[in-house]
Amino acid sequence: MAEQQQTNGAPLLSVQDLSVTYSSRAGVVPAVRKVSFSLDKGESLGLVGESGCGKSTLAFAVMNYLGRSGSISGGQVLFKGRELAAMPSEELRLLRGGEMAMVYQDPMSCLNPVMTIGRQLMEVPLLHQGVDYEQARQQALDILAEVALPDPPAVLERYPHQLSGGQQQRVLIGMSLMSNPELLVMDEPTTGLDVTIEAAILEMVAELRKSHHMALLFISHNLGTVMRVCDRIGVMYCGELVEEGEIGEVFQNTRHPYTRGLLGCLPSLDTGKHGTSLMPIPGQMPAHPGQTEGCVFALRCNEVREPDCTAAPIPTLPVPGSGTHQVRCIRSEELPDWKRTRPANGGTAEEAESGEPLLEIVALEKSYLPSGGLVPWRARGEPVRALNGVSLTVYKGQTLAIVGESGCGKSTLAKVLTGLEEATEGSVKLNGIELAGTAVENRPQEVKKSLQMVFQNPDGTLNPSHTVGFAIGRSLRRLASGSTGPIRQAVQGLLRTVNLPAQFSRRLPRQLSGGQIQRVAIARALAGSPQLVVADEPVSSLDVSVQAAIINLLLEIQAEQGTTMLFISHDLAVVRYLADRVAVMYLGKIMECGKVEDVFEPPYHPYTEALLSSAPVVDTKQRRRIILEGDLPSPTDLPKGCPFYSRCPRKLGDVCADTPPPEHDVGGGHRIACHIPLETLREVEPVFVSGAK
């Protein structure tokens, strides 16, 4: 009775002046500083900010799970009015698996690889509810059905590695819901997933939150993702909550310079590089924010006023005329109203259309034989067709973007172009030289210089034992001749090209940030003054500010050196901004191709339409929701007709299943491979329509 009286009138979760520190060899490091917020049942709060801002630390503090080096140094976390730090460990353990649950970023690291999915799901009711085996199994079947996994009995018998990334994440979400928690904490639950799978999971999370009437604390670096699932948003910087409120109020009346900076870094689906510029936040987050006396954002803020902003701690103030909107900035009322208007880069889309073919790809095929394990010659089964008749043209000085889900063949295409793989059939010509069947080691030196690649994970392509200068210098020596003196000068010149200081040549990769490492990878690719750079997801894992800086860098290099780019990405907003032309791939085939402004407006291929609907962008326009059901078909058993038939919401019937689709010529180089008549596709309503969210 006493406990019930204690919780009456209190929010479900209350975080009050919370501070968290970590102990390290360098001393005590502050990670979260005096953060306060609350959540009631049914409410949802999204936390956003750059890497290292304290989002995940705050989530673990809410669960009171900070490990040996972390500790709550001030404030408190109250769940139903009770302080978590004061709970006995056994009671806290039962609470975490019962009334509170957490979904982590990487499902594969959270699922036991040697236990079946069924066994892992059944542990929750067996341990926390005391039910018998049959009841636990039935609950596991029910929860798999609730998270929309097909054939639940079969999924129960599988191991984690036998499921796709999206299926693993659904299992993890289902596991967290097994005990019907009142609070669900999700830490980057969709990072690394395709936009279509991400959209389906976010839609599912929103529905489950309403049906279970639970509170949701959702952590993400993607503001568009938070906008799709949360009612409120909190912006964190250097361990502080600098702005918080209803999501519509924060986006439409942004008051903190850091929030404005984050939004200014984001490309949109409305316009490209010729109509607007991205504005990265200058500088980097301080390594030791605890040493800052005043505003933690002062060193990067264009609106800073000394000594008012730097002499004393900044209080959290309510925004006049709003409900729950509050901001940690003493100049918030002085700042002018802000809109997402940015200066143009210059040039026009028409100028980008002119150009001669540099790379011509015709009917390109690439098949892989199934692995035979330790005995390769015993491989059995049908070959995997990764590329299935790809035809594309890349024009000099332009950027062609390739988009599509994981497994569609984007990276395989990049490997064939760069000679890391050899084509099975078809033609690839660079300046008229045939490359399709020639491995990179057998290509002429001039071709190697002309075609370079920037990989998705630069950490994996830089030797951790060698300095940055050695890595770039090695590429220079391999691609260009010169003595030690000119090589050293050339290394420093390339570092200046990518806006890095010359002294970085003496640093090791581990001494650089993610954005700096990506700049080094770009500098190395430019060592031979290539005509064509193949960039495979070069900004996918970067914070939005670093991403904007890298995109601007690529555009500067392209403008100054006339470099042509083949840009591979799953981020449609980045593609819309950066590319001149875009090709949409599905299961090794090009479904649609054309100028980027044409492909992103009706008529769409149904697959392009679904991708645009799924894109997690910050936009207050209404959008039509198109959730694709199921996963990609197996590349070892390709459909006879349209490869998109099994998931297409607009399929016509047997003709789509049995007959390869014809290619419509929309005009201006815009092509769509689809059985639906072009006149019907022209009548499709745009994905985004005017109106408030």
Side-chain angles (χ1 to χ4, degrees):
M1 181 66 70
E3 180 179 333
Q4 186 173 353
Q5 290 175 351
Q6 185 183 19
T7 61
N8 282 343
L12 178 70
L13 175 69
S14 177
V15 177
Q16 302 175 359
D17 289 328
L18 180 67
S19 295
V20 178
T21 57
Y22 285 101
S23 300
S24 68
R25 293 180 179 178
V28 177
V29 179
V32 172
R33 302 199 302 172
K34 293 187 177 181
V35 169
S36 298
F37 66 88
S38 62
L39 269 177
D40 285 321
K41 287 200 69 171
E43 285 190 326
S44 58
L45 172 66
L47 294 178
V48 299
E50 296 173 282
S51 297
C53 71
K55 304 186 301 292
S56 295
T57 295
L58 182 56
F60 283 110
V62 166
M63 302 294 292
N64 196 14
Y65 192 70
L66 291 167
R68 293 182 179 179
S69 61
S71 63
I72 294 177
S73 57
Q76 54 186 185
V77 178
L78 304 175
F79 184 74
K80 291 184 172 182
R82 298 188 61 199
E83 187 174 358
L84 294 181
M87 285 187 183
S89 57
E90 182 62 23
E91 184 179 353
L92 186 61
R93 186 181 70 84
L94 293 174
L95 182 69
R96 288 191 190 122
E99 298 174 76
M100 302 169 63
M102 186 167 181
V103 177
Y104 299 89
Q105 179 173 348
D106 181 11
M108 196 59 190
S109 65
C110 303
L111 295 172
N112 192 322
V114 298
M115 290 175 62
T116 63
I117 297 299
R119 179 61 184 166
Q120 296 184 63
L121 285 173
M122 290 163 59
E123 276 188 345
V124 179
L126 287 172
L127 293 177
H128 291 276
Q129 300 172 19
V131 301
D132 60 28
Y133 181 89
E134 290 302 324
Q135 289 175 309
R137 177 179 172 80
Q138 187 57 49
Q139 287 189 34
L141 290 170
D142 292 342
I143 203 67
L144 289 179
E146 190 171 2
V147 297
L149 276 170
D151 196 4
V155 174
L156 284 185
E157 304 303 322
R158 293 176 184 164
Y159 289 89
H161 72 274
Q162 295 174 307
L163 303 180
S164 67
Q167 289 173 334
Q168 291 173 8
Q169 195 61 276
R170 287 173 185 266
V171 167
L172 205 59
I173 293 172
M175 187 181 298
S176 68
L177 297 176
M178 288 288 287
S179 59
N180 198 24
E182 296 181 65
L183 172 65
L184 180 62
V185 180
M186 307 188 81
D187 186 9
E188 300 275 10
T190 58
T191 298
L193 299 181
D194 290 318
V195 290
T196 53
I197 298 173
E198 178 181 53
I201 287 179
L202 294 178
E203 196 87 4
M204 179 192 69
V205 168
E207 293 174 358
L208 291 172
R209 178 174 69 86
K210 293 177 182 178
S211 62
H212 288 255
H213 194 58
M214 62 185 175
L216 174 65
L217 182 62
F218 189 93
I219 294 169
S220 179
H221 69 277
N222 191 318
L223 279 76
T225 299
V226 170
M227 192 171 188
R228 296 187 74 159
V229 296
C230 295
D231 306 317
R232 290 159 47 204
I233 186 171
V235 183
M236 292 194 68
Y237 183 79
C238 277
E240 294 185 0
L241 196 59
V242 297
E243 188 163 9
E244 193 256 334
E246 297 293 329
I247 203 161
E249 288 185 6
V250 172
F251 284 155
Q252 294 172 17
N253 184 27
T254 308
R255 303 315 305 167
H256 198 283
Y258 178 60
T259 311
R260 295 183 175 195
L262 289 178
L263 292 173
C265 295
L266 297 175
S268 72
L269 293 175
D270 292 332
T271 184
K273 57 189 175 185
H274 301 294
T276 186
S277 293
L278 301 183
M279 297 184 293
I281 303 173
Q284 294 181 353
M285 194 180 301
H288 301 289
Q291 299 175 358
T292 305
E293 293 291 336
C295 175
V296 292
F297 189 58
L299 293 175
R300 304 173 70 186
C301 182
N302 294 325
E303 307 292 342
V304 65
R305 183 176 65 198
E306 297 189 12
D308 298 346
C309 296
T310 58
I314 306 299
T316 299
L317 304 170
V319 176
S322 67
T324 61
H325 192 180
Q326 52 187 5
V327 61
R328 209 165 194 165
C329 177
I330 60 173
R331 299 201 62 203
S332 61
E333 294 185 41
E334 304 173 24
L335 301 180
D337 291 340
W338 184 81
K339 295 182 179 179
R340 295 185 67 196
T341 56
R342 296 168 287 199
N345 273 317
T348 63
E350 286 73 22
E351 292 174 2
E353 291 180 24
S354 59
E356 302 175 3
L358 174 68
L359 181 72
E360 296 178 281
I361 305 170
V362 179
L364 190 64
E365 304 267 349
K366 175 59 182 178
S367 298
Y368 296 95
L369 289 175
S371 173
L374 296 176
V375 190
W377 56 86
R378 290 186 179 176
R380 294 288 186 271
E382 295 296 322
V384 176
R385 299 184 68 180
L387 298 177
N388 189 15
V390 172
S391 295
L392 290 170
T393 301
V394 185
Y395 295 93
K396 291 182 179 179
Q398 292 191 10
T399 298
L400 171 67
I402 310 292
V403 300
E405 296 170 283
S406 299
C408 72
K410 305 187 300 294
S411 294
T412 298
L413 176 61
K415 291 176 182 178
V416 170
L417 297 182
T418 53
L420 299 178
E421 298 281 358
E422 297 178 35
T424 306
E425 293 182 25
S427 172
V428 175
K429 290 185 178 179
L430 179 69
N431 284 326
I433 301 175
E434 181 60 56
L435 305 176
T438 308
V440 61
E441 58 268 19
N442 298 324
R443 292 181 176 182
Q445 183 75 355
E446 200 60 36
V447 171
K448 294 178 183 178
K449 291 175 59 177
S450 297
L451 201 163
Q452 288 292 306
M453 185 168 180
V454 178
F455 294 89
Q456 178 174 355
N457 181 14
D459 285 347
T461 60
L462 292 175
N463 191 319
S465 302
H466 289 159
T467 64
V468 164
F470 179 89
I472 299 175
R474 183 175 185 274
S475 294
L476 285 166
R477 285 187 288 271
R478 295 291 297 268
L479 299 174
S481 60
S483 62
T484 304
I487 287 290
R488 185 180 295 111
Q489 295 173 12
V491 168
Q492 295 176 352
L494 284 170
L495 288 174
R496 287 193 294 270
T497 298
V498 297
N499 298 327
L500 288 176
Q503 58 266 32
F504 270 44
S505 63
R506 297 189 294 272
R507 294 192 179 184
L508 294 171
R510 67 172 182 273
Q511 297 173 307
L512 306 181
S513 67
Q516 290 168 343
I517 291 176
Q518 195 61 278
R519 288 173 184 267
V520 170
I522 293 171
R524 187 175 59 175
L526 296 175
S529 300
Q531 292 180 284
L532 176 65
V533 173
V534 179
D536 187 3
E537 300 275 14
V539 297
S540 62
S541 59
L542 303 178
D543 287 321
V544 291
S545 181
V546 181
Q547 172 183 283
I550 295 296
I551 292 172
N552 286 343
L553 173 65
L554 291 173
L555 290 176
E556 290 170 10
I557 292 170
Q558 188 173 41
E560 293 172 3
Q561 303 185 11
T563 308
T564 306
M565 279 197 296
L566 186 75
F567 187 85
I568 295 172
S569 179
H570 68 275
D571 191 325
L572 296 185
V574 170
V575 166
R576 175 66 180 92
Y577 179 79
L578 186 65
D580 299 296
R581 304 180 68 83
V582 60
V584 182
M585 285 189 72
Y586 186 82
L587 215 61
K589 294 187 72 69
I590 303 297
M591 311 307 294
E592 184 168 6
C593 184
K595 290 185 290 186
V596 66
E597 59 268 22
D598 293 338
V599 173
F600 280 56
E601 295 288 341
Y604 307 119
H605 188 281
Y607 181 54
T608 308
E609 183 184 13
L611 289 178
L612 289 171
S613 174
S614 303
V617 293
V618 176
D619 205 313
T620 56
K621 292 181 179 180
Q622 294 177 344
R623 76 166 87 189
R624 292 186 292 110
R625 302 294 192 195
I626 303 173
I627 304 299
L628 296 180
E629 302 291 338
D631 298 317
L632 273 73
S634 171
T636 61
D637 186 21
L638 295 177
K640 295 180 180 178
C642 175
F644 188 54
Y645 165 76
S646 62
R647 302 171 71 197
C648 181
R650 298 185 181 276
K651 55 191 171 189
L652 301 178
D654 291 342
V655 65
C656 295
D658 301 330
T659 308
E663 190 170 86
H664 301 300
D665 186 352
V666 187
H670 187 189
R671 299 177 284 130
I672 301 176
C674 187
H675 284 289
I676 301 173
L678 185 57
E679 295 72 21
T680 304
L681 292 176
R682 291 185 192 276
E683 296 173 358
V684 171
E685 182 184 5
V687 169
F688 290 88
V689 294
S690 299
K693 180 178 180 285

